[in-house]
Every structure is written in structure tokens, then in C-alpha cells.
């Protein structure tokens, strides 16, 4: 794990404070979707399947900030769609950074050259660029040639200007351990991004391609082989050691989707950003009126093959903070 020390201490303190207060459910990171529109049509994403009038909508900055303040999450992942298509995205980021939220702006990077002048480097802000493989594999994933090269050029420009840059890589059953090793080596050793996230894809209903999502056993085997030979320790992975154990099948966890809630144009999504069982108008309503015990592997058949970070990463983080041994292990890997 390579999470910056400032961020690690903030999250650890936040979790301990909630434990002392006796809160059982609270958010670690809020998924904020201020729009669904995108400039790509990736086969594994269903966001642009919304009706045309919905794709034209943009969340007001005041509404987005109010939702984040209400839920109280110390970290915010701004996604979509493509958030850089939002005309006030720089204002939204600025307002959240002012409040000392750790903000990750998820993007395919195509619009970074046109928008970068609107942003300022900050320890509370990072670009989170989607890179699903090397050139051929990534362009195939996003269904458009040339995107990989544009994304790499954008990452280098962000680095030149002093921004933190992270990446997010989603793997499917068309990936091999060697594919994963090659892209992670490139991001870690050649592109030298600050941190990398990696997660198996989840077959949610709106995704156009339903054939290439990984099952649980497939995921475990893939990650076990990719992480072998010291790769896991060498790569600057932005995950807790326990979550990486989870991906390899060394431990198992229950789903805690309430810890990474998703707020979009429709409200707080039940139970997570990958499933749509209705919406709540406030985070507290989401907590109080959602039957959380009915979700997760072994409880809901739709969750049978899910190992997504939105459900299981927070469980691993909370287990880490709750164990002196795992806390020491996490600090050593930072």
C-alpha cells in the first residue's frame, strides 16, 4: 500500500473516532457522480445507457457539496460518466479541497489537456486515470483506438505540473496474469504513477458486455498468479494488505457497501453504485432504510461473483484499523 501518510493518519483517526462514538455504519469514501454522460462507450460500463434527457443533466456544485458534507466521508471519488465534461468540475473539486476532503477525479484522461489549467496541485487532490491494459488491451476495453496513447500523454503532463496521479485498472476474464503483470509493471516502473488501484469487474445489469466478467474463483486465481514473485510488494498499490489478501482468496469478508456510498443525479443509490434498488435523499436515510443484511455474496444472487472494492475494501480497511498486527503490517507497506 502506498497511501500518503497524511491520508493514512486521517483515515485511521476517523475510523477510531467513529468506533469510540459507537457508530456501526459510516462512510469512508463517497462515490460522487455529478453526471452520467461520457465521451467514450466502454463495453464494460453501462452509465451511458441512461435516456438522453438524463445524460444531459449536470449536478449543481452546491448540491454535490451538500451531499458530501451531509454524509461526512473524508474521501471523495468523483466519477460518472466522464466528470471532466461537467462545466463546473473545477469549482466542485476546489470546494471539496477547501473542506480538506481527499478528492480523486476519475477520468479517461482525454479531456485533461483542455481542462488542466483549471486545476491546482494539492495534497488533497489526485487524478485517477483509467488504464485497463497496455495499448491494444486498453483501446479494446474502451472501444476506441488511440485512447491509451492520449491517456499516457495526459498522465505525463499532470506529473510535469506537479499533480498526484493514480490509476485504476479493471480486469476481466479476457485478461491473463501476464496481462496484469505487464500493465502494472508499466504503470509502476515506466510511467511511475503515485499509486495504482486494481479490481475485478462486476457484471452489473446495464453493462453492454455481460460475457467477460470474472467469477470469484477466476478472480482469486488471476490475482494469486499476478501478485506472485514479489510483484505485490513491489507495486505501489493503493489498497490495504488485507484487501489484497482478499483478492487472492487468503481471507474473506462480508460486504460493507454502506462505507462507499454512491451519490448521483438520482440521490443515494441502494445498495452501491453497481446495483440500483432505489434511491435515498440523504445518507442517513440510506443507512436507516436499506436492508444491508440482504446484500453480499451468499445473500443476494446478483452479488455471487462480486469482489469489487466498493463492497470489500472498506471491510478490509476497518479490519486493519481494528488489529494492531494488521495496522503495523499496513504501516510497513506504506
Amino acid at each position: 500500500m502506498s497511501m500518503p501518510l497524511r491520508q493514512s493518519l486521517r483515515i485511521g483517526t476517523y475510523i477510531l473516532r467513529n468506533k469510540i462514538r459507537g457508530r456501526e455504519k459510516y462512510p469512508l469514501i463517497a462515490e460522487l457522480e455529478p453526471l452520467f454522460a461520457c465521451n467514450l462507450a466502454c463495453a464494460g460500463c453501462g452509465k451511458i445507457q441512461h435516456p438522453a434527457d438524463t445524460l444531459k443533466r449536470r449536478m449543481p456544485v452546491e448540491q454535490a457539496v451538500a451531499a458530501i458534507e451531509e454524509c461526512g466521508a473524508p474521501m471523495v471519488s468523483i466519477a460518472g460518466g466522464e466528470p471532466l465534461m461537467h462545466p463546473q468540475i473545477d469549482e466542485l473539486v476546489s470546494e471539496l479541497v477547501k473542506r480538506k476532503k481527499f478528492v480523486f477525479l476519475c477520468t479517461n484522461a482525454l479531456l485533461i489537456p483542455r481542462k488542466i489549467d483549471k486545476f491546482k496541485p494539492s495534497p488533497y487532490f489526485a487524478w485517477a486515470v483509467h488504464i485497463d491494459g497496455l495499448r491494444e488491451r486498453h483501446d479494446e476495453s474502451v472501444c476506441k483506438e488511440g485512447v491509451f496513447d492520449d491517456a499516457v500523454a495526459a498522465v505525463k503532463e499532470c506529473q510535469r505540473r506537479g499533480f498526484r496521479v493514480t490509476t485504476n485498472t479493471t480486469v476481466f476474464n479476457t485478461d491473463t496474469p501476464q496481462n496484469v503483470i505487464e500493465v502494472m509493471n508499466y504503470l509502476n516502473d515506466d510511467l511511475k504513477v503515485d499509486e495504482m488501484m486494481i479490481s475485478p469487474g462486476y457484471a452489473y445489469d446495464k453493462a453492454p458486455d455481460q460475457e467477460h466478467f470474472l467469477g470469484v474463483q477466476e478472480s482469486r486465481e488471476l490475482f494469486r498468479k499476478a501478485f506472485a514473485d514479489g510483484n505485490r510488494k513491489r507495486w505501489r498499490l493503493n489498497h490495504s494488505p488485507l484487501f489484497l489478501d482478499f483478492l487472492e482468496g487468503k481471507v474473506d469478508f462480508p460486504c460493507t457497501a454502506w462505507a462507499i456510498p454512491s451519490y448521483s443525479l438520482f440521490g443515494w443509490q441502494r445498495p452501491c453504485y453497481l446495483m440500483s434498488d432505489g434511491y435515498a435523499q440523504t445518507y442517513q436515510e440510506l443507512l436507516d432504510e436499506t436492508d444491508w443484511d440482504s446484500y453480499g455474496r451468499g445473500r443476494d444472487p446478483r452479488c455471487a461473483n462480486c469482489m469489487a472494492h466498493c463492497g470489500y475494501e472498506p471491510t478490509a480497511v476497518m479490519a486493519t484499523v481494528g488489529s494492531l498486527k494488521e495496522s503495523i503490517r499496513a504501516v510497513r507497506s506504506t
Side-chain angles (χ1 to χ4, degrees), residues 13-23 26:
T13 302
Y14 171 80
I15 293 174
L16 289 173
R17 187 182 301 124
N18 277 286
K19 284 182 175 293
I20 292 171
R21 293 175 178 174
R23 292 186 67 189
Y26 48 89

Side-chain angles (χ1 to χ4, degrees), residues 163-192:
F163 288 96
R164 282 183 61 215
V165 181
T166 68
T167 56
N168 190 2
T169 300
T170 305
V171 298
F172 300 88
N173 67 10
T174 49
D175 287 302
T176 66
Q178 188 59 35
N179 292 151
V180 175
I181 291 169
E182 288 173 356
V183 69
M184 301 308 281
N185 278 343
Y186 175 78
L187 297 173
N188 192 82
D189 303 334
D190 299 316
L191 202 52
K192 292 182 171 61

Side-chain angles (χ1 to χ4, degrees), residues 129-133 166-172 175-177 179-185 187 195-201 214 219 222-224 226-227 232 235-240 243-244 246-247 307-310 313:
V129 179
H130 253 295
I131 301 288
D132 285 344
T166 68
T167 56
N168 190 2
T169 300
T170 305
V171 298
F172 300 88
D175 287 302
T176 66
N179 292 151
V180 175
I181 291 169
E182 288 173 356
V183 69
M184 301 308 281
N185 278 343
L187 297 173
E195 301 153 5
M196 302 173 293
M197 288 183 61
I198 187 168
S199 184
L214 288 157
S219 294
L222 177 66
F223 285 107
R224 193 178 298 120
F227 289 161
R232 172 175 156 172
W235 292 334
R236 293 183 296 279
L237 295 169
N238 189 18
H239 295 292
S240 65
F243 181 70
L244 299 178
F246 168 77
L247 290 180
M307 295 182 71
H309 66 91
C310 63
E313 177 86 77

Side-chain angles (χ1 to χ4, degrees), residues 84 107 109-117 127 129 154-155 158:
L84 287 178
T107 175
L110 295 183
L111 294 176
I112 285 180
R114 289 167 47 187
K115 300 281 187 172
I116 193 170
D117 290 336
W127 300 98
V129 179
V155 167
C158 291

Side-chain angles (χ1 to χ4, degrees), residues 31 33-34 36 59 63 262-269 279:
E31 295 272 359
E33 297 179 312
F36 293 127
M59 185 184 295
Q63 178 184 341
S262 175
Y263 185 76
S264 72
L265 295 166
F266 302 135
W268 294 99
Q269 187 169 329
Y279 296 85

Side-chain angles (χ1 to χ4, degrees), residues 264-279:
S264 72
L265 295 166
F266 302 135
W268 294 99
Q269 187 169 329
R270 290 191 178 97
C272 65
Y273 81 97
L274 296 170
M275 294 169 62
S276 300
D277 285 359
Y279 296 85

Side-chain angles (χ1 to χ4, degrees), residues 29-270:
I29 180 168
E31 295 272 359
L32 178 62
E33 297 179 312
L35 80 173
F36 293 127
C38 190
N39 51 353
L40 290 176
C42 305
C45 177
K47 296 298 182 180
I48 63 170
Q49 303 301 315
H50 288 287
D53 58 337
T54 299
L55 294 178
K56 293 177 182 178
R57 293 176 59 189
R58 305 291 184 263
M59 185 184 295
V61 171
E62 297 79 8
Q63 178 184 341
V65 172
I68 298 304
E69 288 196 315
E70 186 256 328
C71 84
M75 298 184 288
V76 183
S77 174
I78 305 178
E82 171 51 59
L84 287 178
M85 292 177 66
H86 194 296
Q88 296 174 290
I89 189 60
D90 56 312
E91 296 177 35
L92 175 54
V93 168
S94 177
E95 289 299 320
L96 294 174
V97 167
K98 283 180 185 178
R99 291 160 173 78
K100 295 187 176 180
K101 303 292 185 181
F102 291 97
V103 180
F104 298 84
L105 199 160
C106 304
T107 175
N108 56 42
L110 295 183
L111 294 176
I112 285 180
R114 289 167 47 187
K115 300 281 187 172
I116 193 170
D117 290 336
K118 296 178 179 290
F119 297 87
K120 297 179 180 179
S122 165
Y124 293 98
F125 174 69
W127 300 98
V129 179
H130 253 295
I131 301 288
D132 285 344
L134 295 181
R135 182 178 291 106
E136 182 178 351
R137 178 71 187 89
H138 181 70
D139 288 354
E140 176 188 28
S141 177
V142 301
C143 305
K144 185 176 180 180
E145 291 185 5
V147 175
F148 177 84
D149 290 337
D150 289 343
V152 168
V155 167
K156 291 180 178 179
E157 179 61 17
C158 291
Q159 292 171 323
R160 187 186 72 81
R161 296 195 185 203
F163 288 96
R164 282 183 61 215
V165 181
T166 68
T167 56
N168 190 2
T169 300
T170 305
V171 298
F172 300 88
N173 67 10
T174 49
D175 287 302
T176 66
Q178 188 59 35
N179 292 151
V180 175
I181 291 169
E182 288 173 356
V183 69
M184 301 308 281
N185 278 343
Y186 175 78
L187 297 173
N188 192 82
D189 303 334
D190 299 316
L191 202 52
K192 292 182 171 61
V193 299
D194 292 280
E195 301 153 5
M196 302 173 293
M197 288 183 61
I198 187 168
S199 184
Y202 170 75
Y204 62 103
D205 293 341
K206 289 183 177 294
D209 182 358
Q210 292 288 318
E211 298 180 4
H212 296 119
F213 290 97
L214 288 157
V216 170
Q217 295 305 320
E218 290 177 299
S219 294
R220 289 171 174 168
E221 184 68 16
L222 177 66
F223 285 107
R224 193 178 298 120
K225 291 179 178 179
F227 289 161
D229 300 322
N231 288 330
R232 172 175 156 172
K233 292 183 179 180
R234 186 171 58 81
W235 292 334
R236 293 183 296 279
L237 295 169
N238 189 18
H239 295 292
S240 65
L242 276 178
F243 181 70
L244 299 178
D245 287 349
F246 168 77
L247 290 180
E248 290 191 60
K250 294 178 179 178
V251 296
D252 203 4
F253 292 117
C255 174
T256 50
W258 42 264
I260 305 188
S262 175
Y263 185 76
S264 72
L265 295 166
F266 302 135
W268 294 99
Q269 187 169 329
R270 290 191 178 97

